[in-house]
Amino acid sequence: MPNSSLRFLLVQLMLTVLLSSSAVFVSAQGKIVLVIDDLGNQRRAGRSVIDSPWVTTVAIMPGRPFTEELAQYAFAQGKEIIIHMPMSNETDFPLGPLGLNRVDGKATLTENLHTALAGVPHAVGLSNHMGSRLTQDREAMGWVMAMLKQVGFYFFDSRTVSTTIAYQVAAQYQLPWSMRNIFLDHYRTEDFIAQQWHLALTKARQGETVTVIGHPYPETLRFLNNLQLDPSDLALLLPLSAVLNYADKVPRPLRNFPQGL
């Protein structure tokens, strides 16, 4: 009888351990940040993006017709706002107003950046729009990071080129930073967008933190409008400020975190 009781207790203990381990495994979920870039030129598309419950962070270009209006609207809707800063690219595609280009010189670059920082209400971070040339330029990105550090912004590397060093420079300047993992709509087809979103969800369910960039394309808006998630998947969605990388011994600024996190 004592041996039977002991065996029973051991079996119960093993079952408890197994069940506990399984529960921990099942609940070990990652997070998804969905950032929509290129806002500022279109009112209707911009508002549609901001209204989407799946979008946690919006990247608004400075100096555009609806920059301030959309920033104010996004803030009222509880969305996180970052500045989507045009930067020089290897194809010499026009940057539009306030673009950052080394050939203009440090003074003009920093003046444009200063104007942009003042022109997007409620912004707490900055990402690169294009930038395949500037994000490989360590000195020029140092000019950018020095100013971002002064105002307490974080930096989000859109990774428009595989050889970017922008996130490294941000870390060197001890800025909070993150980088893009997945482009949602690199190809503007329903199948591709659905495939990329499924990839992001799969990675998050496996415990990874995934940063996704999309754009206010009609195909993307249609996908988001038709998207339905389980309540457990909704819990995976966070703004960028909740998944930033921080340098050691650097305090985390509370201003970057939306209330409730």
Side-chain angles (χ1 to χ4, degrees), residues 100 105-115 143-144 147:
L100 305 186
K106 180 180 179 180
T108 298
L109 185 150
T110 53
E111 181 181 352
N112 284 353
L113 180 55
H114 182 271
T115 302
W143 302 338
V144 173
M147 185 169 290

Side-chain angles (χ1 to χ4, degrees), residues 28 37 77 162 229:
D37 283 354
Q77 302 304 312
S162 62
L229 294 180

Side-chain angles (χ1 to χ4, degrees), residues 16-255:
T16 300
V17 170
L18 286 172
L19 288 172
S20 300
S21 299
S22 298
V24 169
F25 177 77
V26 170
S27 63
Q29 293 183 318
K31 299 297 177 185
I32 296 178
V33 177
L34 177 55
V35 182
I36 300 296
D37 283 354
D38 295 358
L39 271 62
N41 286 321
Q42 299 174 305
R43 174 187 284 126
R44 180 178 297 179
R47 282 178 171 256
S48 294
V49 163
I50 293 165
D51 287 337
S52 172
W54 322 125
V55 177
T56 63
T57 304
V58 292
I60 303 177
M61 294 182 288
R64 304 304 165 102
F66 303 106
T67 294
E68 292 190 35
E69 176 185 329
L70 290 176
Q72 296 289 4
Y73 185 71
F75 182 75
Q77 302 304 312
K79 299 302 173 75
E80 188 158 294
I81 300 157
I82 62 175
I83 299 172
H84 198 42
M85 195 72 204
M87 299 185 187
S88 62
N89 55 87
E90 294 181 331
T91 60
D92 293 318
F93 191 84
L95 302 182
L98 304 179
L100 305 186
N101 196 331
R102 165 184 272 280
V103 300
D104 296 330
K106 180 180 179 180
T108 298
L109 185 150
T110 53
E111 181 181 352
N112 284 353
L113 180 55
H114 182 271
T115 302
L117 293 174
V120 183
H122 310 296
V124 293
L126 181 141
S127 66
N128 56 293
H129 172 53
M130 300 184 288
S132 55
R133 179 175 291 140
L134 199 74
T135 58
Q136 298 182 81
D137 186 329
R138 187 174 296 275
E139 182 180 36
M141 291 310 301
W143 302 338
V144 173
M145 301 307 170
M147 185 169 290
L148 295 185
K149 187 170 185 179
Q150 289 178 10
V151 296
F153 270 35
Y154 64 77
F155 180 74
F156 180 54
D157 193 336
S158 302
R159 288 181 62 207
T160 56
V161 63
S162 62
T163 49
T164 176
I165 59 169
Y167 68 96
Q168 297 176 6
V169 181
Q172 176 187 341
Y173 277 76
Q174 296 189 326
L175 262 67
W177 64 273
S178 182
M179 68 166 64
R180 187 266 311 163
N181 300 127
I182 293 175
F183 272 131
L184 182 64
D185 47 14
H186 183 68
Y187 298 105
R188 293 169 55 175
T189 68
E190 183 178 345
D191 288 344
F192 182 81
I193 294 171
Q195 170 190 309
Q196 293 297 90
W197 183 253
H198 177 72
L199 175 62
L201 268 182
T202 299
K203 288 179 175 290
R205 288 168 178 165
Q206 292 173 347
E208 296 185 39
T209 295
V210 187
T211 51
V212 182
I213 286 179
H215 303 84
Y217 302 144
E219 298 85 354
T220 306
L221 290 173
R222 186 162 54 248
F223 172 79
L224 293 176
N225 288 337
N226 294 327
L227 181 62
Q228 295 185 358
L229 294 180
D230 294 332
S232 60
D233 289 329
L234 284 173
L236 301 176
L237 298 170
L238 286 178
L240 257 177
S241 60
V243 301
L244 297 174
N245 299 288
Y246 283 83
D248 292 339
K249 300 180 182 179
V250 174
R252 302 187 176 202
L254 295 178
R255 68 183 296 273

